[in-house]
Amino acid sequence: MREYQYSLAKKGKCICPQCGKKTFVCYVDENGNVLDEGVGKCDRADKCAYHYPPREYFKDNNLTRPSLPSTYRPSLPAYVPPSYIDPAIFKKSVEGAKKHSNVFALCLGLNLDKETAQRIESEYYISTSKHWDGATVFWQVDRYGRVRTGKIMLYDWPSCKRVKKPFPHVTWVHTVLNLPNFNLKQCLFGEHLLDKYPDKPVAVVESEKTAAILGGVMQDCVAVACGGCGNLTASMCEPLRGRDVILFPDNGKYDEWSEKGKSMAHMFKRLRISGFMESAACDGSDIADFILKEYVLWRNSGDGDIHLDLELERLS
């Protein structure tokens, strides 16, 4: 038995995950298949020097490097690049959101001040879908402005809870548009904000709703969402490399996210894992519901600046 061997491709270059230039050479296997679009080396040695070798990829994702008999050469699936949504469709949706209301946006207006609600809708590209009456579109835009897809969800008024009966009202823009041969490769929701705020710590949560509300109210951080507990992977979090990162596990997910976070800790400048959701303060709700509740209490009190029990310095 021997380990599968990987080397830099002899031809063909892609967009570098770090500098955004088309100078990135991927690692390929012995059949010429790309291991992963983020595993490779940037040719700009002086100005970028990004290098993510296969050994780190396997370590970050808790994978065992494949081994096989020396006489065996399996043919791995050919690399298929991610698909993207037409920018014109995205632009029309975002601009149309100003004319059409969705339940999530209405809930923001009900619970937050007008300026904060509008900032959330603008920065996170909160849009409206006609797929279900009042449904929301959470667009996934990567750090290079490429639209990976949009997640469509329906919320209940005025609780701002997801509608799950008679079935979970969740689908995708590319599914609704019936785009043929669409290869979905998700990115972090809110990833497009990382380069806009390069010095802010990054708060990672599970749901798009939580990221939007957290990022809108707590402006001393950039809030992003992985879109599902199982999506918290090294590949998904690669854009966070070198940043201060705080993980906010949902209730009951602290141990799982703690284990995942520690396996990726070497990627980040500093990592903290919040146990806030396990505290009595949350009383079973999610972070977004807690923030909205505290925000309403603060606004009704007429006191000065809002100070939630969610201060970033206190998380460790």
Side-chain angles (χ1 to χ4, degrees), residues 37 82-84 138-151 172 184-194 205-206 208 224-228 231 233 235-240:
E37 67 169 0
S83 299
Y84 302 106
F138 294 101
W139 289 101
Q140 287 187 14
V141 182
D142 66 25
R143 62 190 310 178
Y144 305 117
R146 301 171 300 195
V147 185
R148 301 295 183 98
T149 190
K151 184 183 287 188
W172 301 96
L184 173 62
K185 184 166 185 180
Q186 296 188 63
C187 69
L188 292 165
F189 171 72
E191 184 178 310
H192 62 283
L193 296 173
L194 294 175
V205 298
E206 182 172 337
E208 294 82 2
V224 298
C226 62
N231 288 344
T233 63
S235 179
M236 178 75 84
C237 294
E238 178 60 32
L240 308 182

Side-chain angles (χ1 to χ4, degrees), residues 166-183:
F167 61 90
H169 285 60
V170 181
T171 188
W172 301 96
V173 168
H174 63 272
T175 301
V176 172
L177 294 177
N178 196 27
L179 298 178
N181 303 315
F182 193 91
N183 181 34

Side-chain angles (χ1 to χ4, degrees), residues 90-100 127:
F90 167 70
K91 182 179 180 182
K92 183 178 180 181
S93 174
V94 172
E95 291 178 347
K98 301 174 183 177
K99 304 175 183 178
H100 306 286
S127 303

Side-chain angles (χ1 to χ4, degrees), residues 228-275:
C229 185
N231 288 344
L232 186 69
T233 63
S235 179
M236 178 75 84
C237 294
E238 178 60 32
L240 308 182
R241 185 177 289 272
R243 301 282 294 249
D244 283 337
V245 174
I246 307 165
L247 302 183
F248 284 91
D250 276 355
N251 242 327
K253 297 295 182 180
Y254 180 84
D255 290 341
E256 183 177 345
W257 274 39
S258 180
E259 184 177 343
K260 288 185 175 184
K262 289 174 182 177
S263 71
M264 298 186 288
H266 64 282
M267 297 170 55
F268 313 128
K269 181 179 179 181
R270 183 172 56 162
L271 172 68
R272 284 173 284 175
I273 303 170
S274 170

Side-chain angles (χ1 to χ4, degrees), residues 115 154 161 167 225 249:
E115 180 182 350
L154 182 64
K161 298 283 190 181
F167 61 90

Side-chain angles (χ1 to χ4, degrees), residues 204-205 210 214 218 246-255 272-294 307-312 314-316:
V204 182
V205 298
T210 300
L214 177 60
M218 304 293 288
I246 307 165
L247 302 183
F248 284 91
D250 276 355
N251 242 327
K253 297 295 182 180
Y254 180 84
D255 290 341
R272 284 173 284 175
I273 303 170
S274 170
F276 181 78
M277 288 302 299
E278 307 295 323
S279 69
C282 283
D283 192 28
S285 64
D286 61 28
I287 300 173
D289 292 334
F290 175 82
I291 292 175
L292 290 179
K293 176 183 176 182
E294 292 296 302
H307 293 288
L308 299 176
D309 280 336
L310 204 62
E311 299 293 345
L312 300 183
R314 297 170 58 179
L315 299 177
S316 60

Side-chain angles (χ1 to χ4, degrees), residues 41-77:
K41 186 176 183 179
C42 183
D43 277 350
R44 304 173 75 217
D46 296 331
K47 296 184 178 180
C48 178
Y50 176 86
H51 186 204
Y52 190 33
R55 63 177 179 276
E56 290 190 18
Y57 170 80
F58 289 119
K59 179 180 178 182
D60 292 344
N61 290 278
N62 292 322
L63 298 174
T64 301
R65 192 182 183 97
S67 297
L68 63 161
S70 59
T71 57
Y72 181 60
R73 295 289 189 277
S75 180
L76 298 180

